[in-house]
Structures are given as structure tokens and as C-alpha cells.
Amino acid sequence: MTILGIETSCDETAAAIVRRTADGQAEILSNVVLSQTEDHAAYGGVVPEIAARAHVTHLDGIVAEALKQAGISWGDLNGVAATAGPGLIGGVIVGLMTAKSIALVHNLPLIAVNHLEGHALTARLTDNIEFPYLLLLVSGGHTQLLSVNGVGSYQRFGTTIDDALGEAFDKTAKLLGLGFPGGPAVEQAAINGDPKRFDLPRPMVGRAGCDFSFSGLKTALRRQAEALAPLKESDIADLCASFQAAICDIIVDRTKAAMEAFAASHDTSSQKTMVAAGGVAANTALRSTLQNLCETQDFRLIMPPLALCTDNAAMIAWAGAERLALGLTDNLDISPRARWPLDPEAKAASGAGVKV
Ligand code: KG4
Ligand code: ZN
């Protein structure tokens, strides 16, 4: 089956065509992503209204480009999938309404995809892995540890109770005058820094469960920066390196707890697999930390290529294909959702940055 996917839940306007064979093999025919980073850079973060307007302006052209690059026409499609949440509601409305129109005009089944399910199933698109597996999703909007048990079947072990990890990187960068997006800038600045110079807090480490919190770390870093001001280049490097070291310790502690929870809820006789996804998974220090952790905990680590880890529409098309193969389609009256947890049983988390 050949599926058009549409992604508009944050600041990427994206469309992709993905083909899935009956035995579950995947082929990405096109994957077009228009990043709005420059539109938001001056504000140090994504401005929802600007994002929604940019999606309206660009989405039709991006969809046409995805079809063109794939070398197919409307008649070759078997379904249209779009992110229906969670995310910035203005953008989600644009993508979902566009998908509904296409479904109506071309008489195609509609698949309303949970953006988090898109991230969660990407490793099956890239590496054809079997369920279940443990997922660490770390991006600008999400920080979650989940057991991916099947399509539509998730068990959340932990989430953030305040900022998402990417947000913590972005806010740190803003505070230190390093620009947006902050993650790559903090990583770059940390290269020549001393990770031991500042003893920053590691919130939640050692606590029961697998939840995350980053706001205390952010505040501690701000206090240090204020105490040192004006900052020398070496101060910025040491602050960034110390921040990254704290992040790595937090991720190790929380992920280890999730690995134990995963092992306790599944048959562990076969190889255990962990997948890391989201923009922050691009961080080199975090990648090597996760590699070491997986080796010591006997997990195989899968990290999809970066272009499929960060927001894209191929993952939405693929999730749509997986759902369509199981007969899971949606009616045209389905509503977009700003919040939409993957695991309805998970207790609600609250906080400014919590999107599920
Ligand atoms: O997955 P993504 O592209 O979009 C969202 O769904 O949010 O993630 C973007 C986030 C941003 O917060 C960005 O600062 C962060 O990922 N990021 C990084 C790195 N590259 C991107 N954080 C740390 N280190 C990096 N190298
Ligand atoms: Zn995302």
C-alpha cells in the first residue's frame, strides 16, 4: 500500500510518501520537510501563531512536491495519514483538515495518527524490528519512556513533569546567548568545557518511577550564570559541559529504571531492544551514554537516522500504513487534539511543557 503522510504539529511542514508491502517491508518514496526554524529564531522558540500560518502557506506545495518526488499521482495512493495530535493546535488543524479534504476528494481512507505513535513506530520503518521494545523519546516537545507493545498498544513508564529535554537545551542556549535551536549550540559550546566545574542538580535521580524534571536544573544553571556575569567564553563552555553531564546522569538513571520496568513486564528470554528517537538523540554525549548503558544492561540499541528521528512525515505515513494494514481507519469527523497520551491508562502529568 502507498500512503501519503502529513505532519504539521510543530514547526516543520512535512509530507511524505511511504510504501509498505504485505510482509511489512517499508520503502520511503519521498520525504519532504520544510523547517520554519528561521521564522522562529528571533523569538528563541516556536511561536504557535507563526507556525500555523506558515503551515497554511506551504502545505499544499509540500504535498505536491512529495507526490512529484515519489513519481506518483493521486490515483496511486491507498490512504492519507495526518498527525491529529498532540501538538500546537493551529498547526494540527491545518494538517488534519488538508488530509480530510484529500481523503474526501480522492475517496481515500483517512488515518488520524498520534504524532508520538509516529515517533514510536519509526524503528519498524527503518530496522523492521519486532514488538515489544523500550522507547526513549527526547525532543523539543516530548520526553518519554514507553514500552511499545504493538500498534496502538503502549505502556508509559515515565514522562516529564515540566519542560521537555529539548526545551531545556533551548532555554539554556537562550540564557547563554547561544541562539536557536539550542541543542546543537550547547553541544558545540560544551566541547571545550569542563563538565565537573559546576555541580548542577540532577532532579528526580534516585527517585521511584521513571519521570523526568528539568526546571530545577535550568534554574540552578541560571543562578550560576548570573553569579559569574559577565560570562567569559570558558565560563559558557564549562556551564554547557556541566549541563550536559547532568542531563546524561539523569537520562541514565531514569532509563535504567525503565529498563527494569520493561524487563519485569515482558518475557526477557529474547534479545531486549531499546530505541532512542527525537531531536535530542542527535546529541553525541547522550548517544555514547546510551550506548554504554545498553551494553551494561544487555539491551540492543537502535537509533534511527537523524532525518527520521526529528519531526518528519515519513513516520506519519508509516504509522498510517501500519494502522491501515490492521483496518484501523478514522471517520472524517475526527477532531484534532492538542493533548493525546499514547497510554490512556497512564496517570495525567501536569506542567507547562507537558503536551500529553
Ligand atoms: O524532534 P525535534 O526535531 O522536534 C520536536 O519534536 O521537538 O527536536 C528538536 C529539539 C530542539 O529542542 C533541539 O534543540 C534539540 O531537539 N536538539 C538537540 C540537538 N539537536 C537538536 N539537543 C541536544 N543536542 C543536539 N545535538
Ligand atoms: Zn516530534
Side-chain angles (χ1 to χ4, degrees):
M1 59 178 71
T2 305
I3 306 292
L4 164 66
I6 292 175
E7 160 58 37
T8 54
S9 67
C10 193
D11 61 341
E12 271 91 21
T13 312
I17 311 288
V18 170
R19 192 165 277 164
R20 182 187 185 276
T21 58
D23 62 352
Q25 300 291 328
E27 190 186 352
I28 299 175
L29 303 186
S30 65
N31 186 19
V32 185
V33 182
L34 178 74
S35 170
Q36 303 172 4
T37 304
E38 281 179 18
D39 299 338
H40 302 281
Y43 306 93
V46 178
V47 182
E49 180 67 20
I50 293 176
R53 285 167 187 252
H55 291 309
V56 172
T57 305
H58 298 295
L59 185 56
D60 288 354
I62 297 288
V63 169
E65 183 62 25
L67 287 164
K68 189 175 150 210
Q69 286 187 17
I72 65 164
S73 55
W74 295 111
D76 299 314
L77 290 174
N78 303 105
V80 52
T83 297
L88 301 173
I89 196 67
V92 176
I93 290 171
V94 175
L96 186 59
M97 290 306 294
T98 302
K100 285 182 182 184
S101 313
I102 293 170
L104 197 61
V105 170
H106 298 286
N107 200 20
L108 292 168
L110 171 76
I111 308 106
V113 172
N114 183 314
H115 178 87
L116 300 169
E117 178 158 76
H119 281 299
L121 300 180
T122 301
R124 287 169 53 79
L125 161 68
T126 56
D127 293 79
N128 201 14
I129 64 172
E130 300 286 327
F131 299 117
Y133 49 91
L134 180 65
L135 172 73
L136 171 69
L137 177 57
V138 277
S139 73
H142 343 282
T143 306
Q144 305 209 343
L145 280 157
L146 295 161
S147 175
V148 182
N149 299 336
V151 174
S153 174
Y154 302 90
Q155 188 181 354
R156 193 173 84 199
F157 295 130
T159 186
T160 176
I161 59 167
D162 42 57
D163 291 344
L165 182 53
E167 236 177 327
F169 269 95
D170 292 338
K171 287 178 178 173
T172 295
K174 193 175 178 185
L175 180 86
L176 299 175
L178 295 176
F180 174 81
V186 170
E187 172 165 17
Q188 186 62 33
I191 290 174
N192 300 315
D194 173 6
K196 296 209 170 77
R197 176 163 163 208
F198 302 107
D199 186 18
L200 297 172
R202 273 95 170 126
M204 309 298 270
V205 164
R207 294 259 288 267
C210 310
D211 283 342
F212 298 87
S213 166
F214 299 107
S215 72
L217 171 59
K218 187 183 64 192
T219 308
L221 186 129
R222 196 189 65 231
R223 292 222 176 94
Q224 277 291 355
E226 283 166 0
L228 288 167
L231 296 174
K232 296 198 293 285
E233 201 171 313
S234 61
D235 295 329
I236 293 177
D238 294 345
L239 281 166
C240 288
S242 302
F243 170 80
Q244 252 183 203
I247 294 294
C248 288
D249 286 352
I250 294 167
I251 295 284
V252 164
D253 181 83
R254 307 285 74 196
T255 306
K256 215 165 154 187
M259 286 171 158
E260 281 161 21
F262 181 86
S265 52
H266 297 290
D267 165 22
T268 51
S269 55
S270 51
Q271 169 73 66
K272 290 170 289 183
T273 302
M274 163 155 173
V275 176
V280 188
N283 187 280
T284 312
L286 187 61
R287 286 174 96 90
S288 58
T289 300
L290 286 174
Q291 195 70 56
N292 288 340
L293 178 66
C294 283
E295 273 162 29
T296 60
Q297 302 301 309
D298 206 16
F299 270 72
R300 169 177 63 141
L301 177 62
I302 305 238
M303 289 196 269
L306 202 58
L308 295 173
C309 264
T310 56
D311 286 352
N312 67 88
M315 71 177 189
I316 303 303
W318 173 253
E322 291 236 51
R323 295 190 83 85
L324 186 58
L326 297 170
L328 301 170
T329 61
D330 295 278
N331 294 329
L332 288 176
D333 61 358
I334 189 154
S335 297
R337 299 173 64 172
R339 291 181 181 230
W340 185 3
L342 273 181
D343 174 1
E345 303 296 314
K347 77 175 172 27
S350 62
V354 179
K355 297 207 173 58
V356 293

Short mmCIF file of all heavy atoms in Angstrom, two decimals, residues 15 21 23 73-75 79 85 87 162 187 198 205 243 245 297 322:
data_model
loop_
_atom_site.label_atom_id
_atom_site.label_comp_id
_atom_site.label_asym_id
_atom_site.label_seq_id
_atom_site.Cartn_x
_atom_site.Cartn_y
_atom_site.Cartn_z
N ALA A 15 5.53 16.47 4.25
CA ALA A 15 4.70 15.48 3.56
C ALA A 15 5.62 14.40 3.01
O ALA A 15 6.76 14.68 2.64
CB ALA A 15 3.90 16.12 2.43
N THR A 21 4.89 -3.16 2.06
CA THR A 21 4.50 -4.40 1.39
C THR A 21 3.71 -5.26 2.38
O THR A 21 3.71 -5.00 3.59
CB THR A 21 5.74 -5.19 0.92
OG1 THR A 21 6.56 -5.45 2.06
CG2 THR A 21 6.55 -4.39 -0.09
N ASP A 23 4.28 -8.02 3.66
CA ASP A 23 5.07 -8.64 4.73
C ASP A 23 5.72 -7.61 5.66
O ASP A 23 6.59 -7.94 6.46
CB ASP A 23 6.11 -9.61 4.15
CG ASP A 23 7.12 -8.89 3.26
OD1 ASP A 23 6.92 -7.68 2.99
OD2 ASP A 23 8.10 -9.52 2.83
N SER A 73 0.93 9.67 -8.76
CA SER A 73 -0.18 10.64 -8.79
C SER A 73 -1.23 10.21 -7.76
O SER A 73 -1.12 9.14 -7.15
CB SER A 73 -0.75 10.73 -10.20
OG SER A 73 -1.13 9.45 -10.62
N TRP A 74 -2.26 11.04 -7.61
CA TRP A 74 -3.27 10.78 -6.58
C TRP A 74 -3.84 9.37 -6.68
O TRP A 74 -4.09 8.72 -5.67
CB TRP A 74 -4.42 11.80 -6.70
CG TRP A 74 -4.02 13.22 -6.43
CD1 TRP A 74 -3.95 14.23 -7.34
CD2 TRP A 74 -3.65 13.79 -5.18
NE1 TRP A 74 -3.54 15.40 -6.72
CE2 TRP A 74 -3.36 15.15 -5.39
CE3 TRP A 74 -3.54 13.27 -3.88
CZ2 TRP A 74 -2.96 16.01 -4.38
CZ3 TRP A 74 -3.15 14.13 -2.87
CH2 TRP A 74 -2.86 15.47 -3.11
N GLY A 75 -4.03 8.92 -7.90
CA GLY A 75 -4.66 7.61 -8.12
C GLY A 75 -3.82 6.45 -7.61
O GLY A 75 -4.34 5.33 -7.43
N GLY A 79 -4.18 5.56 0.82
CA GLY A 79 -4.66 6.17 2.06
C GLY A 79 -3.92 7.47 2.33
O GLY A 79 -2.86 7.72 1.75
N GLY A 85 -2.63 15.05 16.51
CA GLY A 85 -2.26 15.50 17.84
C GLY A 85 -1.18 14.58 18.38
O GLY A 85 -0.83 13.62 17.69
N GLY A 87 0.09 18.34 19.87
CA GLY A 87 0.95 19.36 19.28
C GLY A 87 0.29 20.72 19.36
O GLY A 87 -0.73 20.89 20.02
N ASP A 162 7.73 18.77 33.83
CA ASP A 162 7.80 20.20 33.48
C ASP A 162 8.28 20.36 32.04
O ASP A 162 7.53 20.10 31.12
CB ASP A 162 8.62 21.01 34.50
CG ASP A 162 9.88 20.30 34.96
OD1 ASP A 162 10.69 19.96 34.08
OD2 ASP A 162 10.05 20.09 36.18
N GLU A 187 25.72 21.77 22.58
CA GLU A 187 26.66 20.66 22.35
C GLU A 187 28.01 21.18 21.84
O GLU A 187 29.08 20.77 22.31
CB GLU A 187 26.06 19.68 21.33
CG GLU A 187 27.07 18.62 20.93
CD GLU A 187 26.48 17.41 20.23
OE1 GLU A 187 25.33 17.46 19.76
OE2 GLU A 187 27.20 16.40 20.16
N PHE A 198 30.97 22.81 37.51
CA PHE A 198 29.77 23.18 38.26
C PHE A 198 28.99 21.93 38.66
O PHE A 198 28.72 21.08 37.82
CB PHE A 198 28.86 24.09 37.41
CG PHE A 198 29.56 25.34 36.96
CD1 PHE A 198 29.94 25.50 35.64
CD2 PHE A 198 29.85 26.36 37.86
CE1 PHE A 198 30.59 26.64 35.20
CE2 PHE A 198 30.51 27.51 37.45
CZ PHE A 198 30.88 27.64 36.11
N VAL A 205 16.74 12.02 40.14
CA VAL A 205 17.65 10.87 40.17
C VAL A 205 17.51 10.14 41.51
O VAL A 205 17.50 10.76 42.57
CB VAL A 205 19.12 11.33 39.92
CG1 VAL A 205 20.12 10.26 40.32
CG2 VAL A 205 19.29 11.69 38.46
N PHE A 243 26.12 21.15 32.25
CA PHE A 243 24.70 20.92 31.98
C PHE A 243 24.52 19.57 31.28
O PHE A 243 23.72 18.73 31.69
CB PHE A 243 24.16 22.06 31.10
CG PHE A 243 22.78 21.85 30.56
CD1 PHE A 243 21.66 22.09 31.34
CD2 PHE A 243 22.59 21.43 29.24
CE1 PHE A 243 20.37 21.90 30.83
CE2 PHE A 243 21.31 21.25 28.73
CZ PHE A 243 20.21 21.48 29.52
N ALA A 245 26.53 17.04 31.28
CA ALA A 245 26.88 15.93 32.18
C ALA A 245 25.70 15.61 33.10
O ALA A 245 25.39 14.43 33.35
CB ALA A 245 28.12 16.30 33.01
N GLN A 297 23.42 -3.09 30.32
CA GLN A 297 22.10 -3.62 30.70
C GLN A 297 21.60 -4.68 29.72
O GLN A 297 20.44 -5.11 29.81
CB GLN A 297 21.07 -2.49 30.80
CG GLN A 297 21.41 -1.39 31.79
CD GLN A 297 21.57 -1.91 33.20
OE1 GLN A 297 20.71 -2.62 33.72
NE2 GLN A 297 22.69 -1.59 33.84
N GLU A 322 0.82 1.17 8.93
CA GLU A 322 0.68 0.09 9.92
C GLU A 322 -0.77 -0.01 10.39
O GLU A 322 -1.32 -1.09 10.57
CB GLU A 322 1.60 0.37 11.12
CG GLU A 322 3.09 0.23 10.79
CD GLU A 322 3.79 -0.77 11.70
OE1 GLU A 322 3.30 -1.91 11.84
OE2 GLU A 322 4.84 -0.40 12.26
#
